[in-house]
Amino acid sequence: MTERVAERTSPVFLGKKTIAIVDDDEALLEGTSGFLEAMGYDVLAFGSGEAFLESPHKDRVDVLLTDINMPGMSGLDLQNVVRAQRPGIPVVMMTALRDDMLRQRAITGGARELLQKPILADDLIRCLEDV
């Protein structure tokens, strides 16, 4: 399981949050993490929902960005656990699947947004700024 903690002592933009990214696609995880770090966010990257839940850093997360379709714990399952433990944390989900039922399940479960992969940089930043 992958966990990478990237911290910045002085963010590019003041008031930026700590974003946890959970995705089993290592290339997407690294690319999204690098992009958000360059935008001034603190980023915690995890290769699975289980790795996120086991992390001692999970309590400092301001926004959870998670893939839906992952081996083991799905993003929907992770959202349910996070909702029970920290009901106020915004959850943003992402998927390559185009499925209206999946979108409904994500939003009904409490996700603020379901982003379609490949995610456009402007859409990701807008979404994070909105939450």
Side-chain angles (χ1 to χ4, degrees), residues 35-36 41 65 92-93 98 103 113-131:
F35 171 71
L36 291 177
Y41 289 96
L65 175 64
V92 175
M93 304 193 99
R98 300 199 183 275
R103 172 174 292 284
E113 183 81 49
L114 177 60
L115 299 173
Q116 290 295 146
K117 292 180 180 178
I119 300 169
L120 299 175
D122 288 346
D123 291 342
L124 179 56
I125 293 301
R126 175 201 48 79
C127 179
L128 293 175
E129 291 297 319
D130 286 349
V131 299

Side-chain angles (χ1 to χ4, degrees), residues 21-125:
I21 306 170
V22 180
D23 199 313
D24 63 312
D25 180 335
E26 194 166 323
L28 186 138
L29 190 63
E30 288 184 18
T32 305
S33 296
F35 171 71
L36 291 177
E37 288 168 2
M39 295 302 298
Y41 289 96
D42 289 337
V43 176
L44 303 171
F46 303 92
S48 71
E50 294 89 348
F52 171 76
L53 293 173
E54 294 168 4
S55 172
H57 305 290
K58 73 176 185 271
D59 291 333
R60 53 181 269 247
V61 170
D62 297 306
V63 178
L64 173 62
L65 175 64
T66 183
D67 188 19
I68 288 181
N69 191 19
M70 298 182 287
M73 177 179 278
S74 75
L76 293 169
D77 293 336
L78 177 59
Q79 176 178 245
N80 291 337
V81 173
V82 169
R83 282 275 162 252
Q85 293 177 354
R86 291 188 56 204
I89 188 173
V91 177
V92 175
M93 304 193 99
M94 52 189 170
T95 187
L97 303 173
R98 300 199 183 275
D99 181 335
D100 289 335
M101 289 296 290
L102 189 61
R103 172 174 292 284
Q104 184 62 33
R105 284 183 60 203
I107 300 302
T108 300
R112 298 282 184 94
E113 183 81 49
L114 177 60
L115 299 173
Q116 290 295 146
K117 292 180 180 178
I119 300 169
L120 299 175
D122 288 346
D123 291 342
L124 179 56
I125 293 301

